[in-house]
Amino acid sequence: MTKELFFDTDCLSAFLWINNTNILEQLYSGQIVLPEPVYRELSNPCIPHIKQRTDALIANNVAKVQEIKADTKEYKIYLSLVSPEKGRKIIGRGEAGGIALAITYDGILASNNLSDIEPYVEKYNLSHIDTGRILFDALQNDLITEADGNNIWQQMISKRRKLPAVSFSEYLKGKICSA
């Protein structure tokens, strides 16, 4: 995979909260892009360890922050996504930043919040991954075992991360059945 991955806060924070970013580093080092609104969300002074872990990814060139500058294509898309419009659900700034950058730079959106992003994934025909897919890719690349995936999954759930199944094994069953 050579495309850049534009991470939303929820997807990256699943790994940051359990202090386990080695899978991201091994699979996607240098391809991870944090839209500036995501970086701001991860820089909450009430949870300094999350910012420290994010800054370590940046310092080690695993990830980078990308600003959404005014009067650019991505800014216009971003603004349209965070502005109220009749009949459309407003999404978060991090999600909007990831979507706008993924559209503009033909990248991959990394987000766990499918209910919010699904209309935009479909509308713009975006490639999309989530935490389950990242763990699946790690399994396929022999970076983890299924048991490791279940352990990571449970750690994330214990940190109140929302995931699409009760376990990694259940996620895999759904993936196999939908293939």
Side-chain angles (χ1 to χ4, degrees):
M1 184 182 302
T2 57
K3 289 187 174 190
E4 290 183 313
L5 291 103
F6 296 93
F7 271 77
D8 184 10
T9 305
D10 60 346
C11 193
L12 183 59
S13 69
F15 293 91
L16 295 170
W17 271 102
I18 65 167
N19 197 20
N20 187 342
T21 58
N22 61 330
I23 291 169
L24 299 175
E25 293 171 30
Q26 291 176 51
L27 288 173
Y28 313 120
S29 186
Q31 295 171 259
I32 298 172
V33 180
L34 307 179
E36 196 272 331
V38 168
Y39 182 73
R40 267 190 274 127
E41 290 174 3
L42 294 169
S43 299
N44 184 332
C46 296
I47 45 173
H49 61 283
I50 297 298
K51 181 178 185 317
Q52 291 167 353
R53 293 171 187 165
T54 303
D55 288 343
L57 290 173
I58 295 164
N60 293 325
N61 296 315
V62 172
K64 66 180 179 181
V65 177
Q66 186 161 342
E67 215 179 318
I68 298 174
K69 296 181 180 180
D71 295 324
T72 60
K73 178 181 177 183
E74 61 262 32
Y75 181 75
K76 290 173 186 159
I77 296 168
Y78 172 79
L79 202 54
S80 74
L81 295 172
V82 296
S83 300
E85 184 179 301
K86 188 176 180 178
R88 184 174 54 82
K89 181 179 179 182
I90 296 176
I91 61 173
R93 294 183 183 281
E95 294 162 331
I99 291 168
L101 291 171
I103 291 167
T104 303
Y105 298 102
D106 190 31
I108 299 167
L109 178 64
S111 176
N112 291 340
N113 200 346
L114 190 58
S115 64
D116 282 354
I117 65 160
E118 188 172 35
Y120 305 104
V121 168
E122 290 175 9
K123 179 178 180 178
Y124 296 106
N125 197 28
L126 289 175
S127 296
H128 167 254
I129 63 169
D130 60 11
T131 296
R133 178 56 196 253
I134 292 168
L135 293 177
F136 177 77
D137 288 350
L139 178 67
Q140 294 295 303
N141 285 283
D142 295 321
L143 300 176
I144 62 170
T145 64
E146 186 174 337
D148 294 332
N150 280 313
N151 181 39
I152 292 166
W153 198 276
Q154 289 310 308
Q155 288 177 48
M156 289 175 176
I157 287 175
S158 75
K159 292 294 186 178
R160 295 186 291 254
R161 304 296 94 198
K162 292 182 183 176
L163 300 175
V166 295
S167 69
F168 182 55
S169 292
E170 286 299 313
Y171 176 86
L172 291 174
K173 284 180 191 174
K175 188 143 188 62
I176 292 166
C177 291
S178 66

